[in-house]
Amino acid sequence: MYYIQKTMEISACHRLMLDYESKCTRRHGHNWIITVFCKARELNQNGMVCDFTEVKHKIKDVLDHGDLNEILPFNPTAENIARWCTEQIPQCYKATVKESEGNIATYEVD
């Protein structure tokens, strides 16, 4: 099995839709650190699991400097963003989303 990971820093804002009172329901920003983990049994015709540039294009280029509530069709929690990342790249089996120091969400495909 071949494995790669790509880490990207993304600046974006969001506000959470919560059923309890929280400061996070107000629009605010983060410098997110997103790491995408990909794997393949066989390398593609170019000798890669997948191209790092493709990962950047499908994740960072979509989210960076955006309002995640406008870009994503769900409540943009770190957990939901991690799941969304795995759905963007067929070879992706796991993603971590670091919202701030000490706050990290991980989603791993079953």
Side-chain angles (χ1 to χ4, degrees):
M1 191 67 70
Y2 297 93
Y3 295 90
I4 65 163
Q5 69 183 61
K6 169 87 174 151
T7 300
M8 300 156 277
E9 183 171 3
I10 294 167
S11 296
C13 71
H14 72 153
R15 65 176 191 79
L16 298 181
M17 295 166 275
L18 304 171
D19 62 1
Y20 58 91
E21 195 165 321
S22 170
K23 64 182 180 180
C24 295
T25 60
R26 295 191 304 268
R27 190 163 321 281
H28 61 283
H30 299 284
N31 288 326
W32 310 79
I33 304 295
I34 297 177
T35 303
V36 173
F37 300 82
C38 301
K39 67 180 178 179
R41 287 201 183 281
E42 302 290 331
L43 298 177
N44 66 20
Q45 65 276 12
N46 297 308
M48 302 175 187
V49 171
C50 62
D51 192 317
F52 289 118
T53 302
E54 177 187 353
V55 174
K56 177 185 173 287
H57 176 69
K58 290 186 174 184
I59 307 294
K60 182 172 183 165
D61 292 353
V62 172
L63 302 179
D64 196 35
H65 285 79
D67 181 336
L68 301 182
N69 293 86
E70 294 177 4
I71 296 168
L72 301 171
F74 50 78
N75 192 17
T77 63
E79 295 88 341
N80 282 333
I81 295 166
R83 185 194 71 243
W84 177 85
C85 289
T86 66
E87 295 168 350
Q88 304 314 298
I89 301 152
Q91 301 89 340
C92 185
Y93 68 93
K94 181 171 83 169
T96 62
V97 175
K98 181 177 178 181
E99 184 177 86
S100 59
E101 194 60 41
N103 295 332
I104 301 170
T106 300
Y107 179 81
E108 189 166 348
V109 177
D110 285 336

